[in-house]
Amino acid sequence: MQHLMLIVFLSASLFFLHIPCARCADLNSDKQALLSFAASLPHGRKLNWTLTTQACTSWVGVTCTPDGKRVRKLRLPAVGLFGPIPSDTLGKLDTLEVLSLRSNRLTVSLPPDVASIPSLHSLYLQHNNLSGIIPTSLSSNLTFLDLSYNSFNGEIPLKVQNITQLTALFLQNNSLSGPIPDLHLPNLRHLNLSNNNLSGPIPTSLHNFPVTSFLGNAFLCGFPLEPCPGTTPSPSPMSPTPQNAKRSFWKRLSIGVIIAIVAGGGLLLLILIIILLVCIFKRKKGTDPGIASSSSKGKSASGGRAEKSKKQEYSSGVQEAERNKLVFFEGCSYNFDLEDLLRASAEVLGKGSYGTTYKAVLEDGTTVVVKRLKEVVAGKREFEQQMEIIGRVGQHPNAVQLRAYYYSKDEKLLVYDYITPGSLCAALHGNKAAGRTPLDWVTRVKISLEAARGLAHLHAEGGGKFTHGNIKSSNILVSQELSACIAEFGLAQLMAIPHTPARLIGYRAPEVLETKRPTQKSDVYSFGVLLLEMLTGKAPLRSPGREDSIEHLPRWVQSVVREEWTSEVFDADLLRHPNTEDEMVQMLQLAMACVAPLPDQRPRMEEVVRTIEDIRSSSGTRSSPEDKPKEETIQIT
Ligand SMILES: *[C@@H]1O[C@H](CO)[C@@H](O)[C@H](O)[C@H]1NC(C)=O
Ligand SMILES: *[C@@H]1O[C@H](CO)[C@@H](O)[C@H](O)[C@H]1NC(C)=O
Ligand SMILES: *[C@@H]1O[C@H](CO)[C@@H](O)[C@H](O)[C@H]1NC(C)=O
Ligand SMILES: *[C@@H]1O[C@H](CO)[C@@H](O)[C@H](O)[C@H]1NC(C)=O
Ligand SMILES: *[C@@H]1O[C@H](CO)[C@@H](O)[C@H](O)[C@H]1NC(C)=O
Ligand SMILES: *[C@@H]1O[C@H](CO)[C@@H](O)[C@H](O)[C@H]1NC(C)=O
Ligand SMILES: *[C@@H]1O[C@H](CO)[C@@H](O)[C@H](O)[C@H]1NC(C)=O
């Protein structure tokens, strides 16, 4: 009797304990699976995963479903994972759609339970040292499979034939052998089987892929490679292969056509070129954007599309062969490659005179600023040298640090640290109605001093010749803590002779308008205009009808103060604070010295820093908390 009751009790408790959990895997079971994955795999960088924190919001690399109930993506690229992927951990994440463990040092094999997660559509494992066979139980829902640069051996599983959604298959640089299965995959766009030990004929279904998809397989044959022995009558060594014959035929034809056209007259040629250009342009716009886009499949339809089109903007000029040439500067803790950058979600921050600036959020959540330069005239060497200088001189708390760059013929990208957006320009001229609090005097002095220190550092470190070349209030970034950082330095030298846009003329020193070449003294002039802007609250722009803009700010200030040192020049917002006019007048004198028409009459940036420091020390003593109006304290925070 007692036994019977015990059995009933046990089975009842089993029922309650077991059945519900088996049916509803939840976030807790996902967390457990991830924690045991992390526990059994050494890793270089710390994964800040703990049982007590929120997996969905604070675990690095983890993205959840919109309802926050399950894990949807796990992206841990280049975190130094080391050793075999434990089975029975990640395989339990049965709502996982994206798994990226690439650029780690994973070894042994790919556990079948991971490859077969039914919901999985993107699997990135490239650049590891995984070996063994590719599991035959691959998920049928895969769209993107990248196992390249590993040590996989054995054959390409036939199962691949059944993954009808597959758009990209990257298996290059492994040790795969055997034949290539006949892949009738309607969506397959990217295929790379190069550098393996595959053999036999290339199936006809893959004939439209380029020769670079198959290179480095000694025993592979058939179009687009050499014809297989025995399929065509063995050609004599001297006779061209069909391909070569075809190519030289076209060559001969096109030369003939050109001669005919030249003979027929230049006009025809011109028309032809124009038509050709139009065609190429149209085609470029219409072609598949490449890897970046295929991987973003499965993103939410709403955000995904906009993101994608922006991403293409800075990835379009990057050649496949040139990926991974992102050059990082020493001492930089970032751990991503160009591929990550192109795959990152991008948002346009602004379009400036040198190109478009994007905010890019990478797979692992790292946020950087990417500047895509246009109209660079500098050659590769010159560009690289200038980047070295910019990277070196930018190491200052008041300068935005360049972290990496990319150079190719068509594309130049710069990667900077991300700073919460906000500039002196916005702080001074932003829309007051939209809740902007006017900057008080103490803050303005602080920002000017920090900007001056940043610029003085650039001048000192760059060794006499280095100039910022583009000082203006929108290039002084102001963080939430109201500290200032100089941006966009050193780029003017790389650009075509600056065709100063009308709206920038206000900052240009008079001699630069003629010579077109900025100097350190012209930087000082621009900085003087910046100080005037800060003092007057007026923007040095040509903007008729806007009361707060004055095209030639120095001239205007001069004309006002010639009569007497009048408070009329100062920003009305500043005059509300008592006892600061003395300092404002001192600052105004400094600014006027900076905008002296003759370069030699202008002070050097170090002197500017010292003068502002003097001004600040007087303002610092005066505005001690006791006698400072309450209002002011609020504005600083
Ligand atoms: C873990 O790191 C991420 C990214 O670095 C961060 O956003 C998150 O707050 C961290 N979580 C914890 C619990 O420290
Ligand atoms: C495979 O994907 C389809 C649509 O993309 C989805 O409906 C289906 O549930 C997925 N299969 C599994 C097993 O998750
Ligand atoms: C990769 O693993 C193989 C054994 O599977 C080993 O022989 C080889 O040295 C490893 N390569 C690297 C680069 O670690
Ligand atoms: C592919 O799918 C077909 C039909 O669904 C099935 O008969 C075949 O066994 C599958 N092949 C593999 C290798 O799974
Ligand atoms: C890929 O394999 C080729 C040929 O063996 C080799 O030249 C190349 O360096 C490899 N690439 C990488 C990234 O290992
Ligand atoms: C490559 O495959 C051929 C047979 O197709 C085999 O004889 C050879 O040993 C293989 N090479 C390597 C390095 O595995
Ligand atoms: C395939 O990979 C090889 C080796 O990395 C590379 O040289 C080749 O350009 C790639 N081909 C394609 C079509 O991506």
Side-chain angles (χ1 to χ4, degrees), residues 94-97 116-121 139-143 165:
D94 57 10
T95 53
L96 196 65
E97 291 171 16
S116 63
I117 297 173
S119 53
L120 198 63
H121 63 66
S139 160
S140 314
N141 265 0
L142 281 172
T143 60
Q165 304 296 322

Side-chain angles (χ1 to χ4, degrees), residues 354 371 386-387 389-396 398-402 414 416 454-455 457-458 466-471 475 485-494 523:
Y354 298 152
K371 186 177 268 296
Q386 185 71 3
M387 288 301 121
I389 299 175
I390 293 175
R392 184 164 50 80
V393 302
Q395 290 170 5
H396 188 272
N398 300 121
V400 180
Q401 174 87 66
L402 178 66
L414 307 183
Y416 292 96
L455 187 55
H457 173 85
L458 299 184
F466 188 84
T467 61
H468 184 294
N470 197 13
I471 289 278
N475 280 340
C485 242
I486 291 205
E488 283 230 340
F489 44 89
L491 303 179
Q493 288 90 328
L494 302 170
D523 277 353

Side-chain angles (χ1 to χ4, degrees), residues 27 31 35 48-59:
L27 192 58
K31 279 174 88 170
L35 285 172
N48 59 6
W49 298 353
T50 56
L51 196 51
T52 49
T53 48
Q54 294 288 319
C56 293
T57 51
S58 71
W59 284 22

